[in-house]
Amino acid sequence: MGIHWWSWQEHGAVVYRNATWKADVGCWLSQCGNSSFPIPVVEKFWRNSCTFECDGRGVCNKELAQCRCSVGFSGVGCEKVINRKCNKGVTDEQPYGSWGVSVCPGFCDKRTAHCLCGNTTKYPDRPLAEACGFHSKGNTGEIDWTKADTDYIYGNKSYQGWCNLDAEDVHDKNIRVKLPQCDCKYDGQWGVVCESPSESFCINQCNLNGICHQGFCACRKGWYGVDCSVPSYLPPPVQRPKWLPQEAAPDVSDETNRISVASNIMKKRPLVYVYDLPAEFTTQFLQGRHFKFECVNRLYDVDNATIWTENLYGAGIALYESLLASEHRTTNGDEADFFYVPFLQACIVEQGDAAPHLTFQGKYMGLRQYFAGDYSKQIYFHIQQNYPYWNRSAGRDHIWFFPWDEGACSAPKEIWNSMMLSHWGNTNAKHKASTTAYRADNWDLIPPEWRGDHPCYDPAKDLVLPAWKFPDPYPIVQNLSSRHRQDRPTLFYFNGNLGSAYDNGRPEPGYSMGIRQKLAAEFGSQPNKKGLLGRQAVDDVVVQAQRSPQYKLELSKSRFCGVLPGDGWSGRMEDSILSGCIPVIIQDGIHLPFENVLDYESFTVRVAEDNIHNLITILKAINEAQVDSMLAVVRGLWQRFTYHYAVKLEANRQKLKLNKEDLWASVQNSLTGDDAFSTFIHVLEYKLHTDTWRSEMKQPLKNYGVPDNCR
């Protein structure tokens, strides 16, 4: 079969902090990483002023003296009002324009392009989103986007109307409400008529140093940054953000400097500078969400308790919040080893074409990745024009996160030198073209003169991160990941969309590059539309299209679990690891999370796409001792596929605000292993001392906090 098995000890893998690493990475970390020590670092607290102090419509970035304006405003002092449209392509035949998420038969909030009831109604801020205010065509349920349902919106002699209904009347008198068309799509509202306000999502919830406005932090005096975590002075220890150590002391010799105040701090490298980008690249996308669940990993209920979401793209938020709070953060770019660019790609992609000002038609040819990629190019220009850091390394010490389905395939050529983070490590060794079945995400169609000729992923400089998974406490409480081989009767398990041969399956032949379809044709354990099972269906092999309500439990009762692509990456690797199941990777030339640094041979099985028909023979050839060894490795590293550092930040905020600790919080706080964020920091530490290009950079000598032989 061309498969050779040996233990991780035999082929040189190195165990460091309960994970098996590739020999060179693990060797360096176990020797040099363990020997690293804090070094003195100078932090700067900037005092620059902004025009009109942003006129109460934004927050002043004290380092650049630039305003970061709330949605609907722009200009050097946020003095300009932006008027956005809700309806596009309005004609006599289509009085509300062609369909779009922002389509509005009521009052258009021109700051956000949200559709509201408006000032002529009793509840002017009540949402009137999408289908809520339109007629249906007969009894079909299909919406007629040309006809507003004015009786439903405003009422008539027998009905008060959606925009005038009192919540008490709906509850007490059983008054008709169109659901789900009229649910509370915008953040900060709940209830049957959106009568119950709640806290909305903001980055790190403004660190309790500001007020959250649906994604934008209005910071109180003395603080700035996307999450109000940067002081313009050295605050007393009790008020310091998490990234700023308690023992930090001011440099009194610098007190006369009106531009900044310096502070001497002891920190461990690597140090990461996080750009505070203009709000049109970050928080304005959060404020403009037309569906509250888009691109965030949590919301808040009417009691302001945390609701974790299932959004697969939530890792971008988790990493961003973790970096902003981390002891590895620095606000002094001259001290930084790496520069993180908080490009909210998933948020931009999800909102593409949602409103007229976000269209990806025309110039962008209906391609969401081209549209979102152009924002990254604008960010690149902003960084080049406002900071000195890009040019000193040609961007090689900069980090971008492309969490969408095919990762950084769509990155513009100007930024490709940087370290790319993604969930999709397509080396293009086999799959050289776009693998999605969804045209709007097909990067093949992006003009080559814009994109350049780069692969989707370069294992020498890039990193694949785990996808976000809902921090469910119950599998941890039940210890599902620790089941041993004897408690895992299922040999192989895969549960997911298997294509057009099954009910509700994806119709495109190119979905999953045809891999899931091949697996089902051989081993399908659920009848397809023709009533047929797979050619080699057996009892202890589960390959089914209908999602099981016991999905996590069934994973935990399986020895091997399939990791197959969808439209690009899928979350099956994370599902397998978090359930303690050995991942079986069937996607040629595509790296999974941390595969270029962890020793994947010690805990995964790779099966070539052309060898799917031999899958069961391959798995049965692995003896019990080898299975036990691989399961043990998975048990040791599963926390690296979670983002519990970010979850703990939220647990601490909830404790401070509500003085309570929910089950998810107590369970996550009990985890002590390295998570995805700390693994990412380990990789940066290794790269800081081993990337050869750094020796070519002309910059002052630094104290790196490791023995000389580690450099």
Side-chain angles (χ1 to χ4, degrees), residues 291-325:
F291 299 106
K292 65 179 77 171
F293 288 93
E294 280 181 339
C295 73
V296 300
N297 57 13
R298 67 178 181 278
L299 295 170
Y300 296 90
D301 67 14
V302 294
D303 297 317
N304 292 333
T306 309
I307 302 171
W308 292 106
T309 77
E310 298 276 6
N311 191 311
L312 288 173
Y313 307 105
I317 295 294
L319 183 70
Y320 191 11
E321 292 187 321
S322 297
L323 278 169
L324 289 169

Side-chain angles (χ1 to χ4, degrees), residues 105 127-137 141-145 147-153 159 161-162 165 170 175-185 191-194:
L128 193 60
E130 268 200 293
C132 181
F134 287 93
H135 274 289
S136 297
K137 294 181 180 179
E142 184 182 354
I143 304 300
D144 186 346
W145 300 105
K147 294 181 180 179
D149 190 348
T150 54
D151 284 347
Y152 180 77
I153 298 171
Y159 179 66
W162 165 258
L165 280 173
V170 175
I175 293 177
R176 177 177 67 96
V177 172
K178 286 199 294 187
L179 293 174
Q181 295 94 331
C182 292
D183 62 358
C184 305
K185 290 183 169 66
V192 69
V193 288
C194 310

Side-chain angles (χ1 to χ4, degrees), residues 642-660:
T642 73
Y643 287 89
H644 66 63
Y645 182 87
V647 177
K648 289 176 182 178
L649 293 175
E650 176 63 12
N652 291 336
R653 287 190 291 266
Q654 286 283 287
K655 185 73 172 176
L656 283 172
K657 289 188 296 183
L658 303 180
N659 194 30
K660 71 171 187 174

Side-chain angles (χ1 to χ4, degrees), residues 82-348:
I82 299 174
N83 288 320
R84 296 186 168 118
K85 296 180 180 179
C86 290
N87 298 331
K88 58 184 177 182
V90 174
T91 64
D92 290 341
E93 294 75 25
Q94 292 183 302
Y96 305 102
S98 57
W99 175 85
V101 175
S102 64
V103 64
C104 185
F107 171 77
C108 178
D109 182 341
K110 294 183 179 180
R111 293 177 59 227
T112 59
H114 287 172
C115 188
L116 306 174
C117 285
N119 290 329
T120 62
T121 67
K122 187 173 184 179
Y123 295 100
D125 294 326
R126 185 169 289 170
L128 193 60
E130 268 200 293
C132 181
F134 287 93
H135 274 289
S136 297
K137 294 181 180 179
N139 296 320
T140 65
E142 184 182 354
I143 304 300
D144 186 346
W145 300 105
T146 67
K147 294 181 180 179
D149 190 348
T150 54
D151 284 347
Y152 180 77
I153 298 171
Y154 304 113
N156 52 35
K157 292 181 179 179
S158 61
Y159 179 66
Q160 286 179 282
W162 165 258
C163 291
N164 299 305
L165 280 173
D166 294 324
E168 295 80 5
D169 288 341
V170 175
H171 293 296
D172 297 343
K173 300 178 183 178
N174 199 25
I175 293 177
R176 177 177 67 96
V177 172
K178 286 199 294 187
L179 293 174
Q181 295 94 331
C182 292
D183 62 358
C184 305
K185 290 183 169 66
Y186 305 145
D187 199 359
Q189 295 175 317
W190 300 94
V192 69
V193 288
C194 310
E195 74 278 10
S196 301
S198 72
E199 184 175 358
S200 53
F201 172 88
C202 274
I203 302 296
N204 280 324
Q205 298 311 118
C206 310
N207 281 291
L208 308 184
N209 290 323
I211 298 174
C212 177
H213 295 294
Q214 290 187 310
F216 179 84
C217 287
C219 304
R220 61 185 173 88
K221 187 176 181 180
W223 296 86
Y224 69 95
V226 70
D227 63 343
C228 304
S229 63
V230 185
S232 54
Y233 62 98
L234 182 63
V238 70
Q239 296 178 10
R240 289 178 189 172
K242 191 173 177 65
W243 65 268
L244 184 58
Q246 298 285 306
E247 63 273 14
D251 183 349
V252 293
S253 65
D254 200 38
E255 281 296 314
T256 58
N257 187 342
R258 294 185 178 182
I259 296 176
S260 65
V261 174
S263 177
N264 297 310
I265 297 172
M266 299 298 291
K267 285 193 171 188
K268 275 190 176 185
R269 295 192 184 275
L271 296 175
V272 183
Y273 180 93
V274 183
Y275 284 109
D276 182 40
L277 296 176
E280 56 263 34
F281 301 131
T282 54
T283 54
Q284 289 190 14
F285 276 97
L286 294 172
Q287 289 182 283
R289 284 174 294 148
H290 284 79
F291 299 106
K292 65 179 77 171
F293 288 93
E294 280 181 339
C295 73
V296 300
N297 57 13
R298 67 178 181 278
L299 295 170
Y300 296 90
D301 67 14
V302 294
D303 297 317
N304 292 333
T306 309
I307 302 171
W308 292 106
T309 77
E310 298 276 6
N311 191 311
L312 288 173
Y313 307 105
I317 295 294
L319 183 70
Y320 191 11
E321 292 187 321
S322 297
L323 278 169
L324 289 169
S326 171
E327 62 184 4
H328 290 279
R329 180 189 184 186
T330 179
T331 55
N332 185 353
D334 293 326
E335 291 279 9
D337 305 308
F338 295 93
F339 296 82
Y340 185 72
V341 184
F343 167 46
L344 299 182
Q345 190 224 16
C347 211
I348 297 171

Side-chain angles (χ1 to χ4, degrees), residues 365 370 377 412-414 445-453:
M365 303 181 295
Y370 191 10
K377 187 177 260 192
K413 60 187 178 183
E414 288 86 355
L445 306 175
I446 297 175
E449 63 272 15
W450 184 93
R451 179 186 174 274
D453 186 25

Side-chain angles (χ1 to χ4, degrees), residues 619-636:
L619 298 183
K620 287 184 175 180
I622 306 172
N623 66 45
E624 292 180 350
Q626 292 161 340
V627 172
D628 290 342
S629 175
M630 299 170 87
L631 288 172
V633 174
V634 172
R635 286 195 296 273

Side-chain angles (χ1 to χ4, degrees), residues 48 95 110 126 190 256 324 334 424 541 543 558 563 599 679:
N48 289 310
K110 294 183 179 180
R126 185 169 289 170
W190 300 94
T256 58
L324 289 169
D334 293 326
W424 178 245
V541 173
V543 175
S558 306
V563 178
D599 182 66
T679 305

